[in-house]
């Protein structure tokens, strides 16, 4: 069984920064691609960023490109999302997810394990 626990969310002013973490336990973290998704109130969950199993390949949603950076520390079984230049439209619950293989993917159905989410609120 895989457990994913997000942390690092909170309230921040527009233009500020936050760093989200996702601690993984259970089956081997290193072999799998990971992703970040978010869901704003009244909206569908959407892709934010993804990283391959060894960290060499990443992809981002256009809305966060240049502002967010996904990374991972396989020795610590932890995934990160550094969020800079935050905007009110970034307000959402952020989820980390594990894909069942090492290559990246941007669609929700490609991911098999999900965390419980962490709230990010950006005030204007």
């Amino acid at each position: 069984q895989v457990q994913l626990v997000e942390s690092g969310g909170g309230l921040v002013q527009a233009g500020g920064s936050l760093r989200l973490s996702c601690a993984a336990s259970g089956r081997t973290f290193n072999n799998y691609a990971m992703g970040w998704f978010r869901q704003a109130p009244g909206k569908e969950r959407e892709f934010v960023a993804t990283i391959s199993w060894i960290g060499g390949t990443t992809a981002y949603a256009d809305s966060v490109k240049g502002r967010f950076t996904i990374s991972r520390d396989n020795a610590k079984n932890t995934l990160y999302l550094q969020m800079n230049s935050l905007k009110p439209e970034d307000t959402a619950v952020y989820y980390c997810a594990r894909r069942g293989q090492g290559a990246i993917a941007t669609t929700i159905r490609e991911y098999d394990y999900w965390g419980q989410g962490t709230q990010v609120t950006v005030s204007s």
Side-chain angles (χ1 to χ4, degrees):
Q1 190 72 1
V2 175
Q3 291 186 323
L4 303 173
V5 180
E6 301 96 335
S7 62
L11 173 64
V12 64
Q13 288 189 331
S17 298
L18 282 175
R19 188 193 197 201
L20 304 184
S21 299
C22 172
S25 61
R27 302 188 68 180
T28 306
F29 173 79
N30 304 7
N31 295 342
Y32 303 101
M34 299 292 295
W36 286 100
F37 293 77
R38 66 186 182 186
Q39 187 165 17
K43 294 188 177 181
E44 294 186 351
R45 193 170 298 189
E46 65 176 6
F47 165 73
V48 174
T50 180
I51 187 167
S52 61
W53 70 282
I54 204 170
T57 304
T58 58
Y60 298 89
D62 287 344
S63 59
V64 307
K65 204 171 292 183
R67 299 187 297 122
F68 290 11
T69 302
I70 188 172
S71 62
R72 65 191 297 163
D73 186 337
N74 286 346
K76 295 182 178 180
N77 284 2
T78 303
L79 176 73
Y80 302 100
L81 185 68
Q82 177 67 43
M83 305 187 296
N84 299 328
S85 302
L86 282 161
K87 305 175 180 179
E89 51 263 43
D90 294 319
T91 295
V93 177
Y94 283 72
Y95 299 89
C96 70
R98 192 207 78 166
R99 190 178 186 219
Q101 54 180 283
I104 62 171
T106 62
T107 54
I108 291 173
R109 65 177 183 272
E110 296 284 351
Y111 291 80
D112 51 5
Y113 288 96
W114 294 80
Q116 83 291 347
T118 185
Q119 176 70 47
V120 171
T121 303
V122 184
S123 62
S124 57

